[in-house]
């Protein structure tokens, strides 16, 4: 910590700061995960220094800052930090975004955990910003063309294809047979209700 503080003070007017400083900040954040008071002090220093945005390019620094803010109930600050940070690990940033909102919902409803359905609803209610997902969230639904083919097969042939038919459809549409099986099971379930 002393070495980091000395290096930070020495490079206060250097823009951008040396890579060694960024690496040291990441190593410190990772090492202090199990020492909350020291981590809080380090995060306070990072958040108050003029190289904050450069330091927030390191995923370990981002994770530590988010963790400290969430633990102190500053969910909005943690969200803004994620929106503004320039770390390259977008998937991990999206996961941190979801974790912040899970924690917020658990605190609001005084729960120790969320069920998968509650997590799903939370993700739908609080989607990550475009700065974290510039291409948008990945969806698991099939492209329109594939859905049309599956609907046509269900209407013209059968809504309950046998194994051979499912394998043929999967081959034609570049899907796995299990995906075709699940699509038809869901299709029949939707038609029933």
């Amino acid at each position: 910590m002393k070495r980091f503080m000395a290096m930070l003070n020495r490079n206060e007017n250097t823009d951008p700061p040396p890579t060694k400083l960024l690496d040291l900040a990441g190593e410190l954040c990772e090492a202090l995960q199990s020492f909350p008071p020291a981590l809080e002090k380090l995060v306070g220093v990072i958040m108050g220094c003029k190289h904050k945005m450069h330091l927030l390019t390191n995923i370990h620094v981002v994770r530590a800052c988010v963790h400290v803010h969430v633990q102190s109930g500053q969910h909005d600050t943690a969200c803004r930090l994620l929106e503004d940070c320039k770390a390259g690990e977008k998937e991990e940033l999206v996961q941190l975004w979801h974790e912040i909102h899970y924690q917020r919902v658990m605190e609001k409803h005084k729960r120790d955990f969320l069920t998968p359905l509650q997590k799903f609803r939370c993700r739908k209610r609080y989607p990550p910003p475009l700065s974290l997902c510039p291409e948008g969230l990945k969806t698991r639904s099939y492209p329109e063309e594939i859905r049309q083919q599956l609907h046509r097969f269900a209407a013209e042939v059968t809504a309950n294809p046998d194994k051979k038919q499912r394998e043929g459809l999967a081959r034609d549409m570049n899907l796995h047979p299990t995906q075709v099986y699940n699509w038809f099971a869901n299709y029949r379930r939707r038609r029933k209700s």
Side-chain angles (χ1 to χ4, degrees):
M1 181 80 155
K2 287 179 184 176
R3 202 172 95 202
F4 172 73
M5 295 299 289
M7 194 183 290
L8 187 63
N9 290 332
R10 263 196 321 272
N11 294 289
E12 192 174 350
N13 296 320
T14 312
D15 200 29
T19 309
K20 272 186 173 180
L21 180 67
L22 304 178
D23 293 341
L24 183 58
E27 290 170 21
L28 263 175
C29 286
E30 201 172 11
L32 295 176
Q33 285 295 323
S34 52
F35 303 103
L39 186 63
E40 285 176 30
K41 184 178 177 187
L42 177 63
V43 166
V45 168
I46 289 170
M47 296 304 288
C49 81
K50 68 182 246 179
H51 295 306
K52 176 174 104 173
M53 294 316 293
H54 291 288
L55 292 169
L56 289 173
T57 59
N58 184 302
I59 191 64
H60 301 297
V61 173
V62 172
R63 196 181 306 122
C65 291
V66 166
H67 176 75
V68 167
H69 284 96
V70 168
Q71 291 303 311
S72 61
Q74 299 173 338
H75 300 98
D76 292 334
T77 306
C79 289
R80 278 194 304 279
L81 191 142
L82 282 178
E83 287 178 46
D84 297 339
C85 82
K86 302 290 184 227
E89 295 83 354
K90 295 296 184 189
E91 284 182 25
E92 189 163 348
L93 295 176
V94 169
Q95 186 58 40
L96 283 170
W97 177 270
H98 292 315
E99 294 294 332
I100 291 168
H101 289 91
Y102 296 159
Q103 189 67 37
R104 179 183 265 167
V105 170
M106 286 189 298
E107 287 174 13
K108 181 180 176 184
H109 297 291
K110 296 176 178 52
R111 299 201 173 165
D112 295 333
F113 67 95
L114 295 177
T115 65
L117 179 60
Q118 289 167 325
K119 286 182 177 183
F120 172 78
R121 288 178 178 156
C122 185
R123 289 191 303 272
K124 286 294 183 192
R125 186 169 192 170
Y126 305 104
L130 286 176
S131 61
L132 297 182
C133 296
E135 70 285 344
L137 284 176
K138 291 187 177 111
T139 176
R140 291 197 293 189
S141 62
Y142 303 116
E144 183 62 30
E145 182 183 317
I146 288 179
R147 286 199 313 268
Q148 285 178 352
Q149 286 179 309
L150 290 167
H151 276 289
R152 200 173 314 117
F153 188 89
E156 295 172 3
V157 182
T158 179
N160 200 0
D162 60 27
K163 185 176 181 180
K164 204 173 209 177
Q165 290 170 317
R166 288 193 306 269
E167 288 172 352
L169 284 168
R171 218 178 8 264
D172 295 344
M173 295 179 207
N174 200 20
L175 296 173
H176 194 274
T178 307
Q179 291 175 295
V180 175
Y181 175 86
N182 288 336
W183 187 91
F184 278 100
N186 290 331
Y187 174 81
R188 291 191 301 271
R189 202 172 296 121
R190 283 190 299 268
R191 297 249 331 220
K192 241 185 225 180
S193 60

